[in-house]
């Protein structure tokens, strides 16, 4: 598990910190980005096993970022994450691996990550 | 006697502004004094074509006798003069003239006193207004100039009567027109029907100088609380007659009068006169207008002008009433439209309120996740005492509750597309009930199933519909405080001839406060301490999206039944 690298993309610093700490505790190696552009830069530089992508971000939003990521790396695993399921029906969100509604309870996020990385 | 002078006086009087009766009497006095007749009388042709002695000179002794009798045209000497319109002159040598239709015994021995009689028609070229009679005990045969003079004066009196009649009928016509125009005003304003009818009876009673006017409306338009509108005092003894007369007028659809035969227990109330006219709309008598008058003022008669006027007024009211009712209906429609508009506006407001709420909720969501997330970490990280741990747990739980509310709000606001799949509603409900049955808190809820086993499949969004049933069942559970009976009945039904399946969910939770019932489908309306007020709002939205209907039947003190209608396949 130690070798799995996850990139967390969220414009809200405290969310980044929360997710980072929670997931590091699970044994993942975590990197963070505060917007879509930064995320794309990091993905270009080094590979990630998974990207956790917030949808509502200023500038380039999560869906756009997702499309850009898929252009660079077609098989990049991505989990979309948002305050509520507003984009679940949006077709472009379907190219992500999963869709998780943000919650103080990070259980669902952790389970989803495990599933995608085939760690169960 | 100077004829020119005399005529001058007559003309002066006839053009004076004295009252008509005084003018005629004065002229008759002049004839008596200046021409030497003791008795000068004027017989007038009445509207009923009968002739009555109406005027005389001051010292006339025959008036009281002659005015007692009336005769028809052609009857007796007066009638024959009126018919032939030629003057006749008699002297004591001729047979004494018959004055009326009968031979006056009272005249026996009186007529013999007189020596000369002149009968002159009061007529112009086309009309006859009556007959003037001049009687003298002195004169013998009248001279030609006397005869001519009498004819000229008779013509003048005829003219007077004619003008008076025209004036009278035009005055009446004017007052009728005034009445009608007043009625018209009432009938064309957009007064409430009740107020209009009250005004109408008032105007009619005043116009006809009636003791009472009343409008009764038959089994008519149920919107009227009052079925009778009355102005004035009615003698209770008349009630029966009024009822009868109204019945007759309505049945025969024509104006009916009652002037005789007004007796109650031998008590004569025939000083009243009644007239009833049907109020007819669309060829149906919907009521009647009845006027009660004292005979001192008017006696109604079937062929009378007044009966005619009343008929006219009744017709007028009929059409006016239709207008008024149309108006009221129009007002109702406008009111309804306004209300619909208001509701639409409210919905729009709610929608934008919903959108605003969604934005706020969205903004709140992140901080909430952070608060909850870090509280959890805090609880995990540090070795907290039991109390501190409890506090942390409370924060975590409250955050979880807030999140649920936010999710519901956001769910309500967003438009979820409807998926379509075949669904057996009985099975769908059973699955939900299975979920509940595994929950210990539902132990004391008795579920009674009354399924239509032949229930056809429908096409709908199963997940959404399940959500509706869950919301309604949870509400029932909460209303019953976890203890009671829920009955679920399925079947088919038709709305506007279109087939639906119908699910009725009844509980024993005591029902909904009638003050609240209009609001239960509104988002955020709740009577519960920890309610979101979104359950029914979401349910309603879902059912609408699935082209169905949701209705509620409230039995205050007992319970509530929710009806859910979903269209059958061929009705989508
Ligand atoms: N079965 C029921 N019996 C009594 N009251 C009910 C019932 N269902 C709904 N209500 C009333 O309607 C309100 C709105 O219900 P709902 O929209 O589900 O919101 P909530 O349950 O969160 O209050 C409730 O607060 C309650 O007052
Ligand atoms: Mg509820």
């Amino acid at each position: 598990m130690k070798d799995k690298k996850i990139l967390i993309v969220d414009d809200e610093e405290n969310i980044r910190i929360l997710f980072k700490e929670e997931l590091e505790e699970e044994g993942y190696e975590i990197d963070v980005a505060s917007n879509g552009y930064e995320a794309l830069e990091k993905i270009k530089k080094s590979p990630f096993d998974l990207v956790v992508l917030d949808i509502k971000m200023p500038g380039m939003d999560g869906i756009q970022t997702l499309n850009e990521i898929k252009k660079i790396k077609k098989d990049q695993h991505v989990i979309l994450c948002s305050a509520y399921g507003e984009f679940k029906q949006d077709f472009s969100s379907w190219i992500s691996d999963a869709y998780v509604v943000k919650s103080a309870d990070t259980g669902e996020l952790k389970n989803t990550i495990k599933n995608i990385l085939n760690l169960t | 006697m100077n004829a020119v002078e005399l005529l001058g006086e007559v003309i002066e009087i006839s053009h004076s502004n004295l009252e008509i009766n005084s003018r005629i009497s004065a002229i008759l006095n002049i004839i008596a004094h200046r021409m030497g007749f003791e008795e000068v009388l004027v017989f007038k042709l009445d509207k009923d074509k009968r002739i009555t002695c109406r005027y005389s000179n001051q010292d006339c002794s025959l008036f009281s006798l002659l005015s007692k009798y009336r005769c028809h045209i052609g009857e007796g000497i007066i009638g024959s003069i009126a018919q032939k319109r030629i003057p006749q002159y008699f002297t004591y040598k001729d047979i004494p003239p018959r004055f009326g239709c009968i031979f006056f015994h009272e005249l026996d021995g009186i007529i013999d006193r007189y020596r000369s009689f002149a009968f002159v028609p009061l007529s112009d070229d086309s009309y006859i207004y009556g007959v003037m009679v001049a009687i003298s005990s002195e004169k013998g045969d009248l001279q030609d100039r006397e005869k001519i003079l009498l004819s000229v004066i008779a013509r003048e009196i005829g003219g007077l009567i004619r003008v008076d009649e025209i004036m009278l009928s035009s005055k009446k016509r004017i007052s009728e027109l005034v009445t009608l125009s007043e009625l018209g005003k009432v009938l064309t304003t957009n007064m409430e029907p009740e107020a209009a009818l009250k005004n109408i009876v008032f105007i009619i009673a005043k116009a006809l100088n009636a003791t009472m006017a009343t409008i009764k409306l038959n089994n008519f338009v149920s919107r009227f609380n009052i079925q009778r509108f009355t102005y004035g005092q009615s003698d209770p003894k008349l009630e029966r007659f009024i009822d009868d007369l109204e019945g007759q007028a309505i049945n025969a659809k024509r104006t009916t009068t009652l002037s005789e035969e007004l007796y109650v227990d031998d008590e004569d109330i025939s000083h009243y006169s009644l007239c009833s006219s049907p109020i007819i709309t669309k060829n149906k008598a919907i009521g009647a207008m009845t006027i009660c008058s004292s005979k001192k003022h008017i006696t109604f008669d079937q062929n009378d002008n007044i009966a005619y006027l009343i008929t006219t007024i009744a017709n007028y009211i009929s059409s006016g009433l239709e207008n008024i009712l149309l108006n009221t209906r129009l007002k109702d429609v406008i009111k309804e439209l306004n209300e619909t508009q208001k509701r639409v506006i409210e919905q729009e407001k709610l929608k934008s309120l919903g959108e605003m709420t969604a934005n706020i909720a969205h903004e709140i969501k992140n901080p909430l996740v952070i608060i909850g997330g870090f509280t959890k970490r805090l609880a995990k990280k540090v070795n907290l005492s039991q109390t501190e741990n409890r506090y942390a747990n409370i924060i975590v739980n409250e955050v979880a509750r807030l999140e649920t509310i936010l999710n519901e709000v956001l769910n309500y606001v967003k438009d979820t597309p409807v998926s379509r799949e075949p669904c057996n509603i009985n099975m769908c409900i059973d699955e939900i009930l299975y979920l509940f049955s595994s929950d210990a808190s539902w132990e004391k809820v008795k579920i009674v199933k009354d399924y239509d086993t032949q229930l056809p499949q429908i096409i709908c969004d199963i997940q959404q519909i399940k959500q509706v049933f869950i919301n309604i069942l949870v509400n029932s559970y909460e209303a019953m405080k976890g203890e009671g009976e829920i009955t679920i009945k399925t079947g088919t039904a038709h709305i506007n001839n279109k087939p639906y399946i119908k699910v009725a969910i009844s509980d024993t939770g005591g029902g909904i406060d009638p003050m609240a019932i209009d609001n239960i489908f509104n988002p955020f309306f709740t009577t519960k301490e920890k309610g979101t007020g979104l359950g029914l709002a979401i349910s309603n939205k879902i059912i609408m999206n699935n082209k169905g209907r949701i209705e509620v039947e409230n039995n205050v003190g007992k319970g509530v039944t929710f009806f859910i209608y979903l269209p059958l396949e061929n009705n989508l």
Side-chain angles (χ1 to χ4, degrees):
Chain A
M1 209 190 272
K2 287 268 182 259
D3 48 339
K4 297 292 181 192
K5 265 182 79 182
I6 299 177
L7 176 66
I8 292 167
V9 190
D10 201 306
D11 58 319
E12 191 118 8
E13 191 188 2
N14 288 332
I15 292 280
R16 291 195 299 269
I17 297 171
L18 176 69
F19 284 1
K20 184 171 186 286
E21 292 191 3
E22 286 280 303
L23 294 180
E24 272 172 354
E25 265 177 20
E26 296 290 304
Y28 302 109
E29 191 187 327
I30 305 294
D31 198 351
V32 293
S34 61
N35 57 55
Y37 308 102
E38 198 187 331
L40 286 173
E41 287 308 307
K42 293 206 165 173
I43 291 165
K44 274 182 205 160
K45 264 185 219 156
S46 57
F48 289 93
D49 297 289
L50 181 67
V51 179
V52 176
L53 192 54
D54 182 28
I55 291 182
K56 237 188 139 198
M57 291 185 295
M60 182 163 48
D61 72 21
I63 304 273
Q64 284 169 308
T65 313
L66 171 65
N67 283 318
E68 294 304 313
I69 291 172
K70 291 283 173 176
K71 280 181 200 162
I72 304 165
K73 245 185 111 184
K74 227 179 124 217
D75 54 356
Q76 174 69 62
H77 290 303
V78 176
I79 295 178
L80 278 174
C81 193
S82 96
Y84 67 107
E86 74 265 57
F87 291 106
K88 258 187 184 160
Q89 270 72 37
D90 189 327
F91 288 108
S92 26
S93 75
W94 292 6
I95 55 175
S96 70
D97 296 76
Y99 195 117
V100 174
V101 176
K102 270 188 210 172
S103 168
D105 183 350
T106 48
E108 192 191 346
L109 180 63
K110 289 175 186 163
N111 283 337
T112 312
I113 292 172
K114 266 186 212 153
N115 281 338
I116 290 170
L117 299 180
N118 274 325
L119 296 172
T120 35
Chain B
M1 177 198 64
N2 183 334
V4 177
E5 220 173 80
L6 190 147
L7 270 181
E9 270 180 55
V10 167
I11 286 167
E12 199 180 313
I13 289 168
S14 105
H15 286 90
S16 72
N17 47 15
L18 286 173
E19 205 228 330
I20 171 104
N21 294 346
S22 320
R23 272 185 279 171
I24 293 176
S25 300
I27 292 171
L28 298 187
N29 282 337
I30 290 174
I31 297 172
H33 290 141
R34 300 295 206 81
M35 293 178 72
F37 292 98
E38 286 101 327
E39 317 277 334
V40 190
L41 305 124
V42 165
F43 288 73
K44 198 171 158 270
L45 183 63
D46 291 331
K47 257 196 234 75
D48 61 357
K49 301 281 177 230
R50 296 226 263 164
I51 308 169
T52 322
C53 185
R54 292 245 188 252
Y55 310 99
S56 72
N57 62 317
Q58 207 169 357
D59 304 323
C60 180
S61 59
L62 291 177
F63 179 77
S64 57
L65 199 73
L66 291 176
S67 63
K68 273 201 260 180
Y69 301 95
R70 309 180 77 205
C71 68
H72 290 99
I73 291 183
E75 244 179 349
I77 178 68
I78 302 287
S80 113
I81 303 287
Q83 187 173 47
K84 293 181 188 141
R85 304 186 191 181
I86 318 168
Q88 283 198 41
Y89 310 96
F90 299 93
T91 61
Y92 60 99
K93 287 171 250 164
D94 303 314
I95 310 157
R98 278 178 70 214
F99 269 91
C101 49
I102 41 161
F103 189 79
F104 290 117
H105 297 289
E106 289 116 331
L107 285 175
D108 284 351
I110 295 177
I111 284 294
D112 305 342
R113 284 195 234 135
Y114 302 102
R115 295 163 58 92
S116 179
F117 302 86
F119 296 90
V120 192
L122 308 177
S123 69
D124 57 20
D125 304 326
S126 39
Y127 285 101
I128 172 93
Y129 301 104
V131 177
M132 182 169 83
V133 184
I135 305 171
S136 162
S137 55
E138 307 279 307
K139 297 174 188 280
D141 278 327
L142 295 183
Q143 294 165 16
D144 279 353
R145 41 183 287 267
E146 286 178 303
K147 290 180 185 172
I148 291 170
L149 203 54
L150 283 176
S151 292
V152 172
I153 297 174
R155 231 183 142 83
E156 185 67 27
I157 295 176
L160 270 182
I161 293 176
R162 172 158 182 246
V163 169
D164 184 57
E165 267 175 14
I166 292 173
M167 290 265 285
L168 222 85
S169 76
S170 63
K171 252 192 215 158
K172 225 173 88 194
R173 194 79 204 118
I174 288 169
S175 86
E176 285 175 15
L177 285 176
V178 167
T179 308
L180 288 179
S181 94
E182 273 181 49
L183 283 177
K185 263 187 244 156
V186 171
L187 290 169
T188 47
T189 52
N190 37 16
M191 237 182 239
E192 288 297 314
E194 273 95 346
L197 284 164
K198 275 182 201 153
N199 271 314
I200 289 168
V201 286
F202 171 76
I203 292 170
I204 293 165
K206 285 282 165 221
L208 296 178
N209 205 352
T211 46
M212 183 211 59
T214 180
I215 290 177
K216 170 205 157 130
L217 295 172
N218 259 352
N219 51 34
F220 179 41
V221 217
S222 53
R223 60 157 20 90
F224 284 112
N225 302 328
I226 315 170
Q227 298 288 338
R228 185 184 281 289
F229 301 84
T230 306
Y231 178 81
Q233 286 290 295
S234 157
D235 193 326
K237 289 185 225 103
L238 280 171
E239 254 162 45
R240 181 166 64 84
F241 295 100
I242 292 175
D243 275 357
D244 283 357
L245 203 65
E246 276 169 350
Q248 282 174 36
I250 289 171
N251 286 335
K253 282 195 205 160
R254 60 190 190 84
T255 302
T256 318
T257 59
L258 187 61
S259 283
E260 319 293 327
E261 297 150 30
L262 286 168
Y263 289 91
V264 173
D265 300 334
D266 290 336
E267 191 182 343
D268 189 359
I269 46 169
S270 63
H271 50 282
Y272 288 115
S273 184
L274 295 173
C275 179
S276 194
S277 198
I279 294 173
I280 298 169
T281 63
K282 300 200 181 87
N283 211 16
K284 235 180 93 187
I286 56 163
M289 175 178 85
T290 307
I291 317 288
C292 172
S293 166
S294 154
K295 274 186 184 158
K296 253 191 292 171
H297 297 297
I298 322 168
T299 304
F300 296 117
D301 183 335
Q302 204 76 43
N303 313 307
D304 200 309
N305 250 339
I306 295 176
Y308 174 75
L309 175 65
I310 291 172
T311 313
T312 313
I313 294 174
N315 289 340
Y316 209 49
I317 292 174
S318 308
S319 53
L321 215 54
E322 273 182 68
N323 268 341
I324 288 179
L325 290 175
L326 211 71
N327 240 320
T328 334
R329 236 167 286 149
L330 215 70
K331 267 195 224 160
D332 285 352
V333 171
I334 290 172
K335 208 170 119 197
E336 213 178 286
L337 264 172
N338 276 339
E339 268 165 20
T340 315
Q341 197 188 18
K342 246 201 306 198
R343 237 178 294 141
V344 169
I345 291 173
E346 259 164 34
Q347 254 162 28
E348 284 303 309
K349 271 199 219 150
L350 274 176
K351 215 172 124 193
S352 49
L353 177 75
E355 274 159 17
M356 209 173 74
T357 319
N359 283 333
I360 295 172
H362 197 269
E363 295 309 315
I364 290 173
K365 191 68 187 274
N366 273 337
L368 208 57
V369 169
I370 294 162
I371 295 168
F374 281 106
T375 311
K376 270 191 175 165
R377 295 194 55 68
L378 200 66
K380 251 193 286 175
K381 273 262 148 53
V382 208
N383 252 343
L384 291 176
S385 74
Q386 240 185 355
T387 326
E388 286 159 333
N389 211 0
R390 219 178 66 229
Y391 295 161
N393 266 332
I394 291 173
I395 298 177
V396 168
N397 283 339
E398 289 304 300
V399 166
R401 185 155 78 89
L402 266 177
E403 272 192 24
T404 319
I405 294 174
L406 282 185
N407 286 342
E408 264 187 53
V409 170
L410 296 168
N411 261 325
Y412 173 69
V413 175
K414 83 175 175 220
D415 266 314
T416 341
V418 181
S419 76
R420 309 205 159 282
E421 39 199 321
C423 164
N424 180 327
I425 288 292
N426 288 345
M427 264 167 62
C428 167
I429 297 172
D430 274 341
E431 279 165 32
I432 297 165
L433 292 177
Y434 178 75
L435 272 178
F436 287 142
S437 68
S438 58
D439 186 336
S441 59
W442 275 71
E443 242 171 31
K444 287 181 180 161
V445 176
K446 189 182 166 208
I447 305 276
V448 179
K449 289 195 263 186
D450 181 3
Y451 288 172
D452 175 355
T453 49
Q454 308 295 314
L455 196 69
Q457 275 206 343
I458 56 164
I459 305 288
C460 65
D461 188 317
I462 299 178
Q463 287 317 312
Q464 290 187 0
I465 297 298
K466 269 189 184 167
Q467 186 61 52
V468 172
F469 290 132
I470 291 171
N471 289 349
I472 290 173
L473 287 167
V474 167
N475 278 345
S476 289
Y477 170 89
E478 286 169 349
M480 302 189 305
K481 300 193 173 64
E483 197 172 344
E485 190 174 296
I486 296 177
T487 309
I488 304 169
K489 187 179 157 93
T490 63
T492 49
H494 279 81
I495 301 176
N496 298 333
N497 287 326
K498 290 183 178 154
Y500 288 80
I501 67 151
K502 174 181 179 181
V503 181
I505 301 176
S506 315
D507 63 48
T508 57
I512 303 168
D513 178 356
M515 302 278 281
I517 189 120
D518 286 341
N519 295 321
I520 59 169
F521 289 105
N522 286 344
F524 310 118
F525 176 83
T526 180
T527 56
K528 296 166 195 168
E529 208 174 313
K530 291 191 174 176
T532 61
L534 285 166
L536 289 178
I538 292 171
S539 302
N540 187 35
K541 204 169 125 180
I542 291 176
I543 296 295
M544 297 290 240
N545 288 346
N546 282 273
K547 297 197 169 67
R549 261 190 202 224
I550 184 163
E551 282 169 13
V552 58
E553 188 183 289
N554 190 24
N555 285 314
V556 181
K558 291 190 180 134
V560 175
T561 304
F562 278 92
F563 298 97
I564 292 132
Y565 297 88
L566 289 165
L568 283 176
E569 201 169 353
N570 52 359
N571 181 20
L572 275 173

